[in-house]
Amino acid sequence: MKSDINRKQHENRFNDSRVQTHPCYSKDAHQYSRIHLPVAPACNIQCNYCNRKFDCSNESRPGVVSKLLSPAEAIHRFQAVKARLPDLKVVGIAGPGDALANVQATFATLKGIKAIDEDVHLCISTNGLNLSKHVDTLADIGVHHLTITMNTLRPEIAANIYPWIYFNNQRYKGIEGAKILIAQQLEGLSLASDAGILVKVNTVLLPGINDQGLSELAEEIQTRGALLHNIMPLISDPSHGTFFGINHFAGPSEEQINNAREVAGSNMPQMSHCQQCRADAVGKLGADQSCSSSQQNLPVDSSIEKSAVKSISKSIRIAVATSDGQVIDTHFGHAKQFHIFDISDMANTSDNQVDLVEIRSIEQYCKGIDDCNDEPNSLKNHLTSLKDCQQVLCSRIGMEPWKLLEQHNITPSVDYAMLGVSDSLNIIGENLFSNSQAKSLQEAC
Ligand code: CLF
Ligand code: SF4
């Protein structure tokens, strides 16, 4: 359903106190600070202006990397920063991947923050692919500010920006993927607006690629209830390793940005004070105290904060064959994807940290009994794809792949078949690192 908000109503929405106290939504709210909590590592699409080594470029400058936090660490960071910055008004989740490709961590963090501070604004940024199915949860948690990055309404243009998307457990490429992404973004925008969420739309201006059609984009998002439009310049540097950077696509000049804002501005109010901040930004816009680059700005006597920045002493990478990310339910030979996790032993604490690194797609090599093929050659792709992992968890596995994995120093395991992913990884972490701590104590003696 389209929201169809007329201009007068639209203008009135800017009087909302939730707009006037959010520094991104109102230029006049510059006295308020925001914090980004980097709890969302994975992403479900590929943008040609993004290199996943760096933060999500839909809200961030490429070329800077945030240290991931678990939800518990993120909540601790918020408490420590709030004690130092009483004007902290907004908590945002803007990467380093997509907030809604990491819903467990995103929702746990937002709920935890809301439980300790009812007044703070909760804000997330997403590419929109998973938005429609999570709008109700976001509204229930109390998220009032949402950014969707939408670069075009035209699939033939989008196919040049997004080589693939990953949706409902399947990868879609080119025009097919572009159509799904655009449809999901539009539906998510309408649902979020209808739920009373203040939606901002970010658009990365890509000269020669998406500069045509900005007017129709602005008109459509206005009709569907978006409040604000933020046209941001492509930052394209070959050293960032993005597709556009390596292939020397140029970012827009100031004149091109101004023209684009003028064209889109006839339909949508334009934001012009965006700082393209990083996924762990802290402070007022334009006066950043980003966490990992200036830890000295954090209170030195805060034991909470110290635990949030504790360092990793050892880690192990594990591939999990799971269809839904919840249960280890997939036969090794039937897996079309592996969830890749890092379990880290945190120095000087008894904690382990479990982080989802990515969902890695792979060609299924066994398609049933008639096609079952345990030949070493058919496993080459699997071995190459999993070569950075030390363990594989699955529900079942044949003898031949078991032996081959072991020969490549990857330990297969069916010990956790049909058990929860998260519980299993926690148990493995405890077993591994408590043993290793005991061992290193013995060696020290
Ligand atoms: Fe962060 Fe984004 Fe929320 Fe602001 S940033 S999630 S809406 S709290 Fe703001 Fe930073 Fe620009 Fe984003 S200046 S990159 S628009
Ligand atoms: Fe990168 Fe963000 Fe695009 Fe994902 S949505 S590919 S993290 S820019």
Side-chain angles (χ1 to χ4, degrees):
M1 188 183 69
K2 289 198 173 188
S3 297
D4 202 11
I5 291 173
N6 70 33
R7 183 164 283 273
K8 187 76 194 151
Q9 285 171 314
H10 198 86
E11 280 164 9
N12 286 341
R13 294 167 72 202
F14 279 89
N15 296 326
D16 189 324
S17 66
R18 297 173 303 171
V19 172
Q20 291 174 345
T21 51
H22 190 304
C24 304
Y25 280 65
S26 168
K27 233 181 189 169
D28 297 332
H30 49 77
Q31 68 274 34
Y32 296 109
S33 295
R34 51 76 177 101
I35 181 170
H36 282 172
L37 298 172
V39 296
C43 192
N44 47 5
I45 69 173
Q46 177 65 59
C47 303
N48 275 334
Y49 45 76
C50 176
N51 175 349
R52 285 159 197 281
K53 274 200 297 191
F54 305 128
D55 288 353
C56 173
S57 320
N58 284 337
E59 282 258 311
S60 310
R61 289 188 305 274
V64 289
V65 193
S66 304
K67 179 191 173 298
L68 276 179
L69 297 178
S70 69
E73 289 171 327
I75 294 162
H76 290 159
R77 183 183 292 284
F78 166 75
Q79 288 177 305
V81 173
K82 178 81 185 177
R84 182 170 56 90
L85 297 177
D87 59 11
L88 184 62
K89 194 70 188 160
V90 180
V91 171
I93 297 181
D98 187 79
L100 296 179
N102 302 265
V103 285
Q104 281 179 341
T106 296
F107 293 163
T109 305
L110 295 172
K111 283 180 188 168
I113 299 284
K114 203 65 183 172
I116 55 176
D117 188 337
E118 277 201 348
D119 295 332
V120 79
H121 296 317
L122 302 179
C123 188
I124 70 158
S125 164
T126 176
N127 57 45
L129 184 61
N130 282 350
L131 177 57
S132 60
K133 59 185 161 196
H134 295 303
V135 164
D136 289 346
T137 309
L138 291 169
D140 286 347
I141 293 172
V143 174
H144 293 149
H145 300 82
L146 171 84
T147 295
I148 313 171
T149 299
M150 298 177 64
N151 292 322
T152 183
L153 294 179
R154 301 183 191 178
E156 67 279 11
I157 293 179
N160 291 323
I161 304 171
Y162 311 104
W164 57 259
I165 66 159
Y166 194 80
F167 185 61
N168 287 346
N169 297 322
Q170 208 172 320
R171 189 187 291 260
Y172 298 90
K173 295 182 183 166
I175 295 269
E176 195 185 8
K179 282 182 180 165
I180 294 170
L181 178 62
I182 293 166
Q184 289 302 312
Q185 289 171 331
L186 291 174
E187 189 188 349
L189 166 54
S190 292
L191 290 172
S193 297
D194 290 345
I197 297 174
L198 303 169
V199 182
K200 171 167 77 63
V201 170
N202 280 2
T203 299
V204 182
L205 183 61
L206 310 158
I209 298 173
N210 71 340
D211 36 10
Q212 299 304 311
L214 286 180
S215 175
E216 73 198 26
L217 173 65
E219 190 179 347
E220 184 68 27
I221 64 174
Q222 194 269 342
T223 307
R224 287 177 182 264
L227 182 82
L228 192 59
H229 193 193
N230 175 22
I231 298 182
M232 316 154 76
L234 165 71
I235 299 176
S236 177
D237 181 328
S239 70
H240 297 152
T242 66
F243 176 85
F244 285 154
I246 291 166
N247 289 288
H248 304 291
F249 284 79
S253 64
E254 211 174 314
E255 193 186 351
Q256 286 172 311
I257 278 277
N258 289 337
N259 285 344
R261 286 179 181 153
E262 203 177 310
V263 167
S266 59
N267 287 305
M268 274 299 297
Q270 296 290 306
M271 175 180 183
S272 59
H273 61 293
C274 175
Q275 301 295 313
Q276 291 180 273
C277 35
R278 47 191 286 175
D280 62 0
V282 179
K284 297 185 169 70
L285 296 197
D288 236 359
Q289 303 168 40
S290 290
C291 300
S292 55
S293 65
S294 45
Q295 292 294 354
Q296 68 276 17
N297 289 333
L298 295 169
V300 288
D301 58 349
S302 164
S303 57
I304 292 171
E305 184 57 20
K306 277 179 192 160
S307 81
V309 297
K310 64 202 171 197
S311 58
I312 294 170
S313 67
K314 296 183 199 80
S315 83
I316 179 170
R317 180 157 288 186
I318 299 187
V320 181
T322 166
S323 62
D324 59 1
Q326 309 291 322
V327 177
I328 302 168
D329 60 356
T330 307
H331 188 304
F332 181 77
H334 299 169
K336 293 179 183 161
Q337 62 178 35
F338 287 93
H339 285 54
I340 308 293
F341 291 90
D342 280 348
I343 307 179
S344 306
D345 181 25
M346 310 310 290
N348 306 321
T349 85
S350 56
D351 295 350
N352 298 314
Q353 180 170 307
V354 177
D355 292 312
L356 175 64
V357 177
E358 64 177 304
I359 299 171
R360 196 173 288 173
S361 295
I362 195 157
E363 198 179 335
Q364 177 182 346
Y365 79 85
C366 174
K367 299 197 170 111
I369 208 81
D370 297 337
D371 188 35
C372 196
N373 182 0
D374 276 349
E375 288 301 311
N377 273 347
S378 67
L379 283 162
K380 255 191 193 154
N381 286 344
H382 279 56
L383 291 170
T384 308
S385 180
L386 300 176
K387 67 179 183 208
D388 58 333
C389 300
Q390 288 82 55
Q391 287 194 24
V392 174
L393 309 184
C394 52
S395 65
R396 290 177 62 198
I397 183 170
M399 277 314 292
E400 200 57 42
W402 183 291
K403 280 192 261 168
L404 264 174
L405 284 168
E406 283 191 329
Q407 281 164 19
H408 287 77
N409 297 319
I410 303 170
T411 307
S413 170
V414 292
D415 291 351
Y416 302 89
M418 303 317 290
L419 296 180
V421 172
S422 162
D423 290 347
S424 303
L425 293 171
N426 283 328
I427 292 167
I428 290 170
E430 274 168 31
N431 289 341
L432 271 175
F433 295 129
S434 61
N435 287 344
S436 83
Q437 275 161 9
K439 183 163 174 283
S440 65
L441 278 175
Q442 280 166 14
E443 282 168 355
C445 294

